[in-house]
Amino acid sequence: MTWSSVCSGSKSKWHIADCHSGSFPDLELIAMAFPILPKRPVLSIPIAALCSAALATSPLAHAQSLAQGAGGKASTIRIGGSSTVFPIMKEAIRAFREAGNSTPIDLKETGTSDGFRRFCSGQLEIANASRPINSKELKACSSNRIDFIELPIAFDALTIVVHPSNTWANQISAKELARLWGRQAEGKVDRWNEVNLDWPERPIKLCGPGKDSGTYDYFNKAINGSPENSRQDYSSSEDDNVIVRCVAQNPNALGYFGLSYYKANQGKLRALGIVAPSGTVIPSVANVQAGRYRPLSRPLFIYVNDKALTSKPDLRKFTTFTISNGLRLVGKAGDIPLPASTYQLVESKLYKRITGSAFSGDLPIGLSIGEALRRSFDVNKLPQFR
């Protein structure tokens, strides 16, 4: 299959057709999994990277022009959820404003689980998520007739951090993390030498995400075998900046959160390498992209309400802007961008309104970027998860 810069359309719907403007090998592989969906209206969102000729003539552009000409007041776009995805969306809003858009946008960081609760009850148009939607949340969305589009936006490396004055710990294994953070450690493991005999007999201060955080779920599934298997006697918060301060202010502290918060605070923190069979691996863009930083690498998502997307031109405009500029926005936010061609695929998924979750309520652990993306674009989902 090849691609052309010529896009065909009709008064009823627009679609990408036989594009030949260049060679996009990755795009070709997955595009075949995206047939034009019959009997469903397709969003009028131009794929700028693929079909720039459609921009000036698309129904979406026409509808937006009419709305602006009528002087109608734009409704607020409500976004909430993951604190890990928060910096990306904050950067997206800033860039959207700089591009001349004045749509009111309300962005809050309350944790992935809280974001899904509000999203599945219709309180949010966009949910930021540092893990895929789970089965309980899928049922809540289904009960409230909330259809959504699941859009991968970036990749992340969960980062284990200590105070810069810590001279004894340079690396840590998954087994040591489990010994420290599992439920069995509560009230018992509270000194460094109880984690590793080579470390000093000093008190250990633990700082981490709260139960509403997707980072909490992912870390405990990856390290302790279950999202619920975590000790609770530690300083917790859904705000990663609070966790940063918790570690930065105590020489005996250890905590964990997303890579972007570590990169933004490297002068206050030190990251530990993760012991793997092939050696110690540090959290970095290169190691995550190469699939070496396991099991603590993960995809990040935004979930968009499908009904709101069809009825609110400003929401369509902002969502498309965010995805089409994803490579730049994610990099500026300090997270790990997806491959450039993948953002075109995500935009195509949005354009064609591929609804439902490709993860079917599962929380996969330690996927490489390629593996996660293959899951993200799987359209062969069971009916109950669409």
Side-chain angles (χ1 to χ4, degrees):
M1 180 176 180
T2 53
W3 296 87
S4 166
S5 59
V6 179
C7 294
S8 66
S10 69
K11 292 182 180 179
S12 60
K13 66 180 181 181
W14 283 72
H15 61 277
I16 302 173
D18 299 328
C19 300
H20 295 277
S21 62
S23 175
F24 297 94
D26 292 338
L27 208 56
E28 293 171 11
L29 287 175
I30 301 178
M32 291 185 289
F34 286 163
I36 296 299
L37 299 180
K39 300 181 181 179
R40 289 200 62 183
V42 178
L43 273 185
S44 302
I45 297 181
I47 310 301
L50 304 178
C51 301
S52 59
L55 283 173
T57 58
S58 72
L60 171 60
H62 180 62
Q64 290 172 339
S65 176
L66 288 177
Q68 292 169 355
K73 185 178 179 181
S75 60
T76 299
I77 297 173
R78 299 161 300 172
I79 307 172
S82 169
S83 60
T84 305
V85 181
F86 178 87
I88 299 173
M89 298 307 282
K90 185 178 180 181
E91 183 63 32
I93 293 170
R94 184 199 62 76
F96 193 62
R97 294 270 182 269
E98 286 187 353
N101 301 285
S102 57
T103 303
I105 301 175
D106 179 31
L107 173 65
K108 290 183 170 62
E109 50 178 329
T110 59
T112 296
S113 297
D114 179 74
F116 276 132
R117 278 195 295 271
R118 296 171 63 205
F119 179 77
C120 291
S121 64
Q123 298 176 52
L124 300 175
E125 283 78 38
I126 297 177
N128 298 332
S130 59
R131 59 162 174 80
I133 190 169
N134 65 33
S135 57
K136 181 180 178 181
E137 293 154 351
L138 280 168
K139 290 176 182 177
C141 276
S142 178
S143 296
N144 292 316
R145 298 183 179 179
I146 303 293
D147 291 327
F148 58 81
I149 304 174
E150 177 183 73
L151 301 171
I153 186 70
F155 234 73
D156 185 32
L158 281 185
T159 305
I160 313 301
V161 297
V162 296
H163 192 275
S165 67
N166 182 317
T167 59
W168 55 91
N170 294 306
Q171 60 190 34
I172 194 166
S173 68
K175 185 178 291 187
E176 289 168 338
L177 285 169
R179 187 179 301 144
L180 177 60
W181 282 98
R183 190 184 296 115
Q184 81 290 336
E186 187 166 331
K188 299 176 181 177
V189 180
D190 55 13
R191 293 187 173 275
W192 281 92
N193 66 328
E194 293 170 333
V195 180
N196 185 315
L197 291 176
D198 293 330
W199 292 342
E201 189 180 352
R202 298 178 62 159
I204 188 166
K205 169 73 173 178
L206 294 179
C207 315
K211 290 183 178 181
D212 269 346
S213 170
T215 301
Y216 173 97
D217 294 337
Y218 190 92
F219 177 86
N220 287 301
K221 175 73 179 292
I223 297 301
N224 299 319
S226 167
E228 292 82 31
N229 184 5
S230 174
R231 66 189 300 166
Q232 298 301 315
D233 56 341
Y234 67 95
S235 295
S236 66
S237 175
E238 269 70 35
D239 184 344
D240 288 341
N241 288 303
V242 173
I243 306 172
V244 167
R245 291 194 294 272
C246 180
V247 178
Q249 294 171 1
N250 192 320
N252 292 313
L254 178 145
Y256 67 92
F257 39 66
L259 180 64
S260 64
Y261 284 88
Y262 166 66
K263 291 174 72 173
N265 296 277
Q266 290 186 67
K268 307 174 186 176
L269 306 166
R270 185 165 60 79
L272 300 185
I274 301 298
V275 178
S278 58
T280 300
V281 183
I282 62 170
S284 70
V285 173
N287 281 333
V288 170
Q289 290 179 338
R292 291 188 291 264
Y293 192 73
R294 300 197 188 193
L296 295 180
S297 60
R298 58 177 177 169
L300 304 176
F301 303 89
I302 61 173
Y303 287 74
V304 187
N305 182 301
D306 182 56
K307 183 177 180 180
L309 203 61
T310 63
S311 62
K312 297 185 177 182
D314 286 332
L315 176 61
R316 297 199 296 272
K317 187 175 182 181
F318 173 73
T319 305
T320 306
F321 177 89
T322 300
I323 298 302
S324 61
N325 291 281
L327 184 67
R328 175 173 61 89
L329 298 175
V330 171
K332 281 197 170 185
D335 278 297
I336 301 168
L338 305 176
S341 61
T342 300
Y343 286 107
Q344 295 174 339
L345 294 174
V346 178
E347 193 174 4
S348 181
K349 185 178 184 181
L350 171 66
Y351 171 78
K352 296 187 177 183
R353 288 175 62 196
I354 307 297
T355 59
S357 175
F359 294 86
S360 300
D362 183 30
L363 179 55
I365 295 300
L367 296 181
S368 68
I369 286 183
E371 291 165 343
L373 293 177
R374 280 193 292 274
R375 289 282 295 269
S376 294
F377 292 110
D378 176 20
V379 295
N380 298 313
K381 299 177 288 294
L382 295 174
Q384 62 264 38
F385 296 123
R386 292 187 63 86

